Amino acid sequence: MSKQPLQSLIHARGLVKRFGDFTAVDGIDLDVAPGEAFGFLGPNGAGKSSTMRMIGCVSMPTAGELRILGMDPVRDGSRIRARLGVCPQLDNLDPDLNVRENLTTYARYFGLSRAEARRRAEELLDFVQLRDRAASQVEPLSGGMKRRLTIARALVNEPELVLLDEPTTGLDPQARHLLWERLFRLKQQGTTLVLTTHYMDEAEQLCDRLVVMDGGRIAAEGSPRSLIETYSTPEVVELRFPDEADYAGKLEGIGRVDPLPDRILLYADDGDAAVAEVHRRGLTPSSVLVRRSSLEDVFLHLTGRTLVD
Amino acid sequence: MAHPTVAVLERHLHLYRRLWRASVFSSFILPVLFLVSIGIGVGNYVGEIGGVTYLAWIVPGVMASTAFQMAVGESTYSVLGDFKWVRAYHAMRATPVGIRDMVAGWMLYVLLRVVIAAVVFLGVTGLFGALLSPWAVVTPLVAALVAVAAAAPVTAFAASIDNDSYFALLFRFVMIPSTLFAGVFFPVEELPGQIRPLAYLSPLWHGVELSRAATLGGAPPWPVAVHAGFLLLFAAAGLAWAVFAFRKRLQD
Ligand SMILES: Nc1ncnc2c1ncn2[C@@H]1O[C@H](COP(=O)(O)OP(=O)(O)OP(=O)(O)O)[C@@H](O)[C@H]1O
Ligand SMILES: [Mg+2]
């Protein structure tokens, strides 16, 4: 079999997943190129995990076309999975095996020899900085350590494509930054990453390209920068007022206005100029913050909702 | 390259390493204690059955029923737990390990446990002078057959349920009757005619009769091929059901 260079590691057209009458994924198109870091961003229930599970060949598409690594998940599921690394949204580590055994046991599922399994386990213990917990049971580990172990486990077969479903949810900032750094290293080694996240900063840090999912559909697609350029303004002014009066109306004309329960967002090309205009209109917000626009704003604009609830 | 089935077996053995001390009592010591107390104690009242001592008569029965109980006992909470709490099978699902590998790896593990227990039991009862025929050496094979015939359907059952309270039903209405009415402690001919067919349906009865024929050196009530065929059929149906149940549980 000749190995042709693949244009898309993941190729989906009109991909649908239904659970009974409920449509979790509603006809999405995707293409992920080798070496890319690709993200799914979306609120709870958007269909991110359902999509990831189809890509990971553990859930069968209800309709549409899906090819992973150029193969058909239904026919070649096992051969595809051999080349994937999967970090599921919920850890499913073996609580009665210790940290090292979790890695070696999993490595054996991929057909690695015992010696190779041990070698990989040692490498990965260092990679996720769990060396000093190698002989520890899994149960007493902190949530962040378990997450790191799950990610290490996903890498045990040196996968070409790594699927990470909310890799850093529940981690403290320090653990999250460590993981980002590790994932970035993987990417530099040429591994293709696909991840889901609720965190805008994570998506901006890690993803070359991302889709915003909502209600099973793709609401927007592009690089973090291009999404911000398309769906937001370079700067955002966050205004808080001491009372509940209708300030949104009084801000009309300065820029797009988005009233949130606790603050009002004002989208502007030049934040300082917008603030000057607010003051010129005689408004006296109790606090003013000018910041660069982020994916959060894109998300808010596209779905009318904040991302982390 | 290691076969995925072997990798699954290894995982179960790895876990067993943590538990083996606790299981020594139930797998090795308990059956022997049981045998001594019933066989020698009760045997004094019962006298002989079919021309042999009661001890010699129940040894093959206890061996087959130990295999049966181990197979059933192992295949309940462990299997359900690996789906429901540990999610070990969900973890395997994301790897090249296939459904058949999961079932086969588990069955091999149960087989290994049962056969080792059977061999130890055989050795101990040999020392008691309770084995009357050289054919006794095939009893671990019979125990293996009983183990798969029992473990496969119970594994399938455990993979199909969502709540461990169903196991109480399994123990009460399947496990205990099939142990009591399977010719372990008294010949099934002494059962009332209406209940006797239940014994014929129990894989344990077929295993008991095969074992007894082997250790006493006689012929079982039905042809050996029929007893063995029944056990094989039960095992095959159970395995098919288990593969179906695993697949159903892991798909969505
Ligand atoms: N096995 C299932 N059976 C029935 N419904 C399901 C199943 N899995 C997911 N769903 C439903 O499909 C929808 C999408 O779920 P999914 O897990 O893909 O969302 P998500 O984007 O990953 O959300 P989250 O951010 O909360 O993880 C949800 O409404 C969920 O209830
Ligand atoms: Mg999810």
Side-chain angles (χ1 to χ4, degrees):
Chain A
M1 211 173 73
S2 71
K3 263 208 153 172
Q4 293 171 345
L6 277 173
Q7 277 130 8
S8 289
L9 291 194
I10 302 170
H11 172 82
R13 287 293 174 273
L15 188 61
V16 171
K17 182 71 195 182
R18 282 192 205 97
F19 299 104
D21 292 338
F22 180 78
T23 305
V25 178
D26 196 4
I28 63 171
D29 298 344
L30 288 173
D31 276 290
V32 177
E36 209 175 2
F38 185 87
F40 289 94
L41 203 63
N44 293 130
K48 306 181 296 293
S49 297
S50 303
T51 306
M52 290 291 261
R53 292 165 45 72
M54 287 191 279
I55 297 172
C57 306
V58 296
S59 163
M60 291 303 130
T62 313
E65 184 189 337
L66 181 64
R67 294 191 75 75
I68 312 293
L69 305 169
M71 291 182 275
D72 172 5
V74 179
R75 257 205 359 257
D76 303 311
S78 173
R79 273 168 59 206
I80 297 170
R81 288 192 297 267
R83 292 161 60 187
L84 300 186
V86 177
C87 169
Q89 183 167 355
L90 295 174
D91 291 325
N92 52 21
L93 299 162
D94 242 315
D96 294 320
L97 295 176
N98 71 28
V99 169
R100 182 184 278 117
E101 288 167 343
N102 259 282
L103 295 173
T104 51
T105 304
Y106 203 74
R108 297 283 286 159
Y109 295 156
F110 288 90
L112 273 65
S113 72
R114 282 193 194 88
E116 182 68 6
R118 271 196 302 274
R119 194 187 62 73
R120 278 300 285 164
E122 296 311 314
E123 271 176 29
L124 289 167
L125 285 172
D126 288 330
F127 186 71
V128 296
Q129 299 190 355
L130 283 174
R131 150 111 8 238
D132 52 334
R133 302 303 294 263
S136 156
Q137 291 297 109
V138 163
E139 214 34 55
L141 294 185
S142 75
M145 289 175 177
K146 284 185 192 160
R147 209 66 193 139
R148 266 142 65 192
L149 180 55
T150 303
I151 290 170
R153 199 184 63 171
L155 303 176
V156 85
N157 57 329
E158 303 187 293
E160 293 154 60
L161 173 59
V162 181
L163 308 176
L164 303 142
D165 198 348
E166 300 192 21
T168 64
T169 296
L171 299 196
D172 64 33
Q174 198 189 340
R176 186 177 320 154
H177 279 98
L178 171 74
L179 261 179
W180 286 355
E181 194 268 321
R182 290 300 185 259
L183 294 178
F184 189 72
R185 260 208 240 171
L186 274 182
K187 186 180 168 234
Q188 286 191 313
Q189 291 162 14
T191 307
T192 308
L193 302 179
V194 175
L195 57 103
T196 77
T197 183
H198 290 266
Y199 299 115
M200 299 298 160
D201 50 350
E202 185 158 295
E204 294 192 57
Q205 285 268 341
L206 289 176
C207 299
D208 302 318
R209 201 156 59 85
L210 54 94
V211 291
V212 178
M213 267 189 99
D214 192 29
R217 292 170 182 276
I218 291 178
E221 176 183 348
S223 70
R225 206 76 316 266
S226 76
L227 284 173
I228 291 168
E229 277 162 18
T230 312
Y231 295 99
S232 189
T233 48
E235 297 194 323
V236 181
V237 184
E238 296 199 9
L239 301 168
R240 284 169 210 268
F241 289 96
D243 56 90
E244 306 273 313
D246 173 28
Y247 289 102
K250 297 181 182 153
L251 293 169
E252 229 165 86
I254 307 180
R256 189 161 58 80
V257 178
D258 225 331
L260 299 183
D262 60 334
R263 61 195 193 276
I264 295 178
L265 301 186
L266 186 55
Y267 295 86
D269 290 333
D270 180 343
D272 291 330
V275 174
E277 175 63 17
V278 169
H279 288 301
R280 205 191 57 74
R281 291 188 184 184
L283 301 172
T284 50
S286 55
S287 85
V288 176
L289 172 71
V290 179
R291 59 168 173 80
R292 283 177 62 220
S293 180
S294 75
L295 281 176
E296 177 90 46
D297 304 301
V298 172
F299 189 78
L300 191 66
H301 177 63
L302 285 169
T303 69
R305 268 169 300 141
T306 50
L307 200 69
V308 186
D309 30 47
Chain B
M1 204 170 95
H3 195 279
T5 299
V6 176
V8 176
L9 168 64
E10 276 182 12
R11 182 240 172 204
H12 299 307
L13 289 174
H14 242 311
L15 286 170
Y16 179 59
R17 270 210 320 223
R18 283 182 199 291
L19 307 169
W20 74 271
R21 255 173 279 260
S23 77
V24 163
F25 183 74
S26 65
S27 311
F28 303 118
I29 300 175
L30 196 64
V32 172
L33 284 180
F34 185 75
L35 196 67
V36 171
S37 57
I38 302 284
I40 298 176
V42 179
N44 282 334
Y45 299 97
V46 177
E48 295 200 335
I49 294 190
V52 299
T53 63
Y54 189 55
L55 179 69
W57 194 83
I58 66 162
V59 156
V62 172
M63 181 179 213
S65 87
T66 302
F68 181 78
Q69 293 187 16
M70 267 180 80
V72 173
E74 280 295 315
S75 307
T76 50
Y77 291 92
S78 309
V79 174
L80 176 62
D82 276 346
F83 278 108
K84 197 174 159 77
W85 299 295
V86 177
R87 297 174 69 79
Y89 291 116
H90 296 82
M92 290 179 202
R93 184 79 183 104
T95 74
V97 172
I99 303 282
R100 280 161 207 278
D101 299 311
M102 298 177 198
V103 172
W106 173 248
M107 283 301 138
L108 285 175
Y109 166 74
V110 173
L111 263 183
L112 216 64
R113 294 274 316 273
V114 167
V115 169
I116 290 171
V119 169
V120 170
F121 189 84
L122 192 68
V124 174
T125 52
L127 295 179
F128 275 90
L131 308 175
L132 307 184
S133 156
W135 277 105
V137 296
V138 305
T139 50
L141 204 65
V142 176
L145 213 50
V146 170
V148 182
V154 174
T155 293
F157 178 72
S160 312
I161 61 176
D162 204 44
N163 187 318
D164 60 4
S165 60
Y166 287 105
F167 289 141
L169 298 178
L170 179 75
F171 286 122
R172 210 160 300 157
F173 295 108
V174 180
M175 174 103 170
I176 294 177
S178 26
T179 309
L180 282 181
F181 307 138
V184 178
F185 304 108
F186 55 90
V188 289
E189 289 75 43
E190 290 179 18
L191 286 172
Q194 308 97 292
I195 300 185
R196 218 173 298 155
L198 285 182
Y200 302 152
L201 284 178
S202 162
L204 180 53
W205 177 69
H206 297 275
V208 168
E209 295 297 355
L210 283 177
S211 292
R212 187 163 288 139
T215 66
L216 300 184
W222 298 358
V224 171
V226 175
H227 286 302
F230 182 90
L231 286 171
L232 284 172
L233 204 69
F234 221 87
L239 288 173
W241 182 21
V243 168
F244 171 82
F246 272 49
R247 178 163 292 138
K248 183 147 184 279
R249 184 127 188 180
L250 293 174
Q251 81 175 14
D252 73 341

